[in-house]
Amino acid sequence: MQGAIVAEPASSAARAADFAVLAPYLAGLSPEQADIVGLMPIGSVNERLLAALPPQGDASAGKLIAGLFLCDPFLGGRRLFARLAAAGVRRIVNLPTTNLIPPGPYRQVLNAAGIDPGAELAALREAREAGLQVMAMVASFDQAARAAEAGIRSLLFHPGSPTGEAALDLRLVEGVLASVGRIRAMPGAPRIALYRHPGFGERIAAACALVDDVVDWALPPPRAGARPLSAEAV
């Protein structure tokens, strides 16, 4: 199946896709800037998401997967899930995600504040208990294994952020191929969707052939002269 990351549920890309990951807080960003939104837990991601939902009863809600920041201490949990369900949106994914944050001091600080992959998994379990269908965004085999152990049967695999250097990006793609192969070999393997990051170009085509679904970046390009990513941007 073909998916798309979109900012508006009524966009042509959302209508053309089999399913659409709704992420209005990424509007105006490049794919590379979007990769770091999860590294900076700022702004009102979930408020932006709720404001972008289609009107109650709109048929487009059925194909939407809501991209949520699941470590939000102010708007999350069952209150958030109930508002999604009331709008007819029954599927969620942890986008943006802290799974892209590399080990180090910054991650340690976020972990201490409860902003970490474990908290995201706990929120996904809570959402499932609330009657929603959940998808886990992961960026490695180990993260996929932990999601599967938590009973999550649908994954959105992020290939990582491209470096712009051909040799390094090829190694990243080789790692994606290896991870997808290992996930496929898991007992009762989950369904895998792969984010086809535009920064990898054709290098990622081989990995796309191994997964169940492919998700493309389908947001308009940043406006000329747009300001760099900031707290106000997200």
Side-chain angles (χ1 to χ4, degrees):
M1 295 178 69
Q2 180 65 54
I5 299 175
V6 302
E8 299 179 6
S11 66
S12 58
R15 292 195 301 269
D18 295 306
F19 61 91
V21 178
L22 182 61
Y25 43 83
L26 299 181
L29 305 182
S30 69
E32 291 72 25
Q33 289 174 325
D35 289 342
I36 67 172
V37 168
L39 311 189
M40 300 186 299
I42 53 179
S44 300
V45 164
N46 294 341
E47 287 286 3
R48 292 278 297 276
L49 184 285
L50 291 174
L53 292 177
Q56 190 169 8
D58 192 299
S60 66
K63 67 162 56 179
L64 294 180
I65 301 176
L68 302 176
F69 180 55
L70 292 175
C71 295
D72 189 331
F74 305 109
L75 180 56
R78 291 186 179 271
R79 182 165 64 98
L80 174 61
F81 304 147
R83 291 178 66 177
L84 290 172
V89 176
R90 295 287 179 177
R91 294 185 287 176
I92 69 166
V93 63
N94 53 319
L95 171 69
T97 180
T98 57
N99 277 323
L100 294 175
I101 303 176
Y106 182 58
R107 183 159 191 165
Q108 292 172 4
V109 170
L110 292 182
N111 288 350
I115 302 173
D116 56 59
E120 292 181 16
L121 277 181
L124 287 172
R125 285 194 295 266
E126 185 178 8
R128 188 177 57 199
E129 292 168 358
L132 298 180
Q133 299 176 42
V134 300
M135 170 183 276
M137 174 168 270
V138 299
S140 70
F141 170 76
D142 288 343
Q143 293 171 4
R146 285 193 288 272
E149 289 171 2
I152 296 172
R153 311 308 305 159
S154 179
L155 305 177
L156 176 53
F157 197 98
H158 194 299
S161 300
T163 66
E165 297 185 23
L168 291 177
D169 287 350
L170 183 58
R171 289 182 186 176
L172 285 174
V173 172
E174 289 172 349
V176 172
L177 287 166
S179 293
V180 169
R182 293 179 68 190
I183 296 170
R184 283 284 189 209
M186 294 169 57
R191 187 177 186 90
I192 309 171
L194 176 66
Y195 169 38
R196 181 159 49 190
H197 197 302
F200 287 106
E202 289 303 313
R203 295 185 185 92
I204 205 167
C208 292
L210 298 179
V211 298
D212 302 292
D213 309 305
V214 174
V215 179
D216 285 318
W217 177 267
L219 284 84
R223 299 184 304 275
R227 293 182 301 167
L229 182 63
S230 67
E232 289 75 23
V234 296

